[in-house]
Amino acid sequence: MLLLLDIGMQGDTIQHLRNINDNIDAVRRIIDVSNSTIANEISAVNTMLVAFTIVFGVVGVFLGWYISLLHRKVSKMSDNIAEKEQKIINLANTVEETDRKIHTNIGGLYEDLRKEETMTLLRRLEEEPLDISNLSSLLMTRTLSGEGFVILKKAYIKLKSLGPEIDQNRVVEPSFRQQYIIIFFQHYLREAILDEELRPDVVKDYKRSMQCAFKRDIIKSTEDFCLALSEDKVQFDKVLLLADYLKALNHSGYRNLIELKNIFQEKLNSNVLVDAIDKCTTDKEYLGLFGVAAPTESAEKTENPDGVK
């Protein structure tokens, strides 16, 4: 009986142990499933974090670019505002200066307006060279600034491309080309003499230019001419050019103007002047301005020094 009881108890113990093992296995399986689930969730969370990090990175880059763009726009607007403000200040100063000139220096304001109008007239010639017929007399009575030379030259070069009509004399007025040459002679003779394109045309029309010049004009032109001949590095024969000028002057109404003699003697190299006078004498052009008389006149004075007939 006891043996049977002992055997029964052992069987119950074994069964109990089996149940415990089964429970342990079940718990292990539950733990494994839980660990797997947790691992999957952690992996998913990591993936989401990476995705969010990438998204936030892209958004951050975009926001940085957008903020930079806004900054540049704001800076540009600020610069524009500063520029506009400066323009307003300059305009205000100009208005104030103009108002001051109106009240205190009307002559200076008129000179400024006259200068600007003159430049406008020169630009008009650059557009329409033949309009010189309407503007030449006006330009010859004004003082032309140095910046006008380039504009006038462009207009003249454009005129020369128009053909033979530019050399046709019209009733009592010079031809279109001659009117340009006269302006060059009176206002820009130094620049024209030093210019390879203009010099031949200006030299060719010395006589006509001098006929159209008043005393003040011929004095200024002669001074400008001497300035050109005083340049060291030039591509022309100074003696020959001066001789041509003296010959034309000798046939003008200013052949005995003492102011011109003084200008030649003061502003030119003496050797150049002497050689040019000698060349004129050799070419039978006797310059009374420098005391050179024709041989017949000299002989008559020698025979009859008191001028008694």
Side-chain angles (χ1 to χ4, degrees):
M1 184 71 177
L2 292 172
L3 179 62
L4 291 173
L5 182 60
D6 185 50
I7 292 172
M9 292 177 64
Q10 290 180 354
D12 292 337
T13 302
I14 293 172
Q15 185 63 40
H16 181 67
L17 291 173
R18 287 178 178 173
N19 291 334
I20 291 174
N21 289 333
D22 291 339
N23 290 334
I24 291 172
D25 291 337
V27 171
R28 286 178 178 173
R29 285 193 297 272
I30 292 171
I31 292 172
D32 290 339
V33 171
S34 298
N35 289 338
S36 177
T37 301
I38 292 171
N40 290 335
E41 290 179 355
I42 292 174
S43 177
V45 170
N46 288 335
T47 302
M48 291 177 64
L49 288 175
V50 171
F52 280 129
T53 301
I54 294 173
V55 171
F56 284 139
V58 172
V59 172
V61 171
F62 174 76
L63 287 176
W65 172 81
Y66 183 68
I67 291 173
S68 177
L69 179 63
L70 289 179
H71 177 71
R72 286 197 296 270
K73 286 185 178 180
V74 171
S75 298
K76 186 175 181 180
M77 290 175 61
S78 178
D79 292 340
N80 288 337
I81 292 173
E83 183 179 353
K84 296 294 183 183
E85 182 180 4
Q86 186 60 44
K87 286 183 178 179
I88 292 173
I89 293 174
N90 292 338
L91 181 60
N93 291 336
T94 301
V95 172
E96 182 179 353
E97 179 66 16
T98 302
D99 182 70
R100 185 187 64 78
K101 286 184 178 180
I102 290 175
H103 290 89
T104 63
N105 187 19
I106 190 67
L109 177 62
Y110 176 73
E111 287 299 321
D112 291 342
L113 294 174
R114 186 181 177 90
K115 178 181 178 181
E116 186 59 34
E117 181 190 15
T118 302
M119 294 302 295
T120 301
L121 296 178
L122 291 174
R123 294 187 187 98
R124 166 62 182 168
L125 290 178
E126 190 176 8
E127 296 174 0
E128 180 47 71
L130 293 177
D131 207 19
I132 188 67
S133 60
N134 298 317
L135 302 179
S136 62
S137 58
L138 187 60
L139 290 173
M140 281 188 285
T141 61
R142 298 191 175 191
T143 300
L144 304 187
S145 62
E147 57 187 318
F149 172 73
V150 175
I151 300 175
L152 189 65
K153 179 185 174 182
K154 289 180 180 178
Y156 180 67
I157 297 301
K158 187 174 181 179
L159 176 85
K160 292 181 68 174
S161 67
L162 299 181
E165 64 175 303
I166 67 171
D167 284 310
Q168 295 176 357
N169 290 318
R170 296 166 301 123
V171 192
V172 296
E173 291 185 350
S175 67
F176 293 110
R177 188 186 64 80
Q178 287 174 331
Q179 291 182 66
Y180 275 94
I181 296 301
I182 292 170
I183 296 177
F184 281 122
F185 182 85
Q186 291 190 9
H187 295 285
Y188 299 116
L189 187 55
R190 174 184 174 275
E191 291 85 349
I193 292 298
L194 296 175
D195 190 287
E196 295 294 328
E197 292 182 278
L198 298 178
R199 183 170 59 253
D201 293 350
V202 173
V203 172
K204 184 172 61 176
D205 271 352
Y206 274 156
K207 288 185 179 180
R208 183 60 186 255
S209 298
M210 290 180 182
Q211 289 172 357
C212 297
F214 293 107
K215 178 180 177 180
R216 176 176 175 273
D217 300 325
I218 195 66
I219 290 175
K220 178 186 180 302
S221 297
T222 301
E223 289 177 342
D224 291 346
F225 179 77
C226 291
L227 286 176
L229 264 62
S230 297
E231 295 285 338
D232 294 328
K233 297 180 181 179
V234 293
Q235 302 298 319
F236 53 81
D237 187 329
K238 293 182 180 181
V239 172
L240 180 60
L241 205 65
L242 177 57
D244 290 338
Y245 190 89
L246 293 174
K247 289 176 183 178
L249 184 62
N250 203 42
H251 290 272
S252 74
Y254 303 105
R255 56 183 173 272
N256 294 318
L257 188 61
I258 192 64
E259 288 94 329
L260 301 184
K261 178 182 179 180
N262 295 335
I263 292 172
F264 288 125
Q265 291 178 337
E266 293 172 5
K267 307 235 179 240
L268 290 177
N269 180 288
S270 58
N271 293 329
V272 173
L273 179 59
V274 169
D275 290 346
I277 294 173
D278 289 344
K279 177 168 178 50
C280 290
T281 304
T282 301
D283 295 339
K284 300 186 183 307
E285 192 71 52
Y286 306 104
L287 305 178
L289 182 63
F290 296 97
V292 181
T296 53
E297 295 178 0
S298 300
E300 290 177 1
K301 289 183 179 180
T302 302
E303 294 174 0
N304 191 8
D306 296 327
V308 180
K309 294 184 179 180

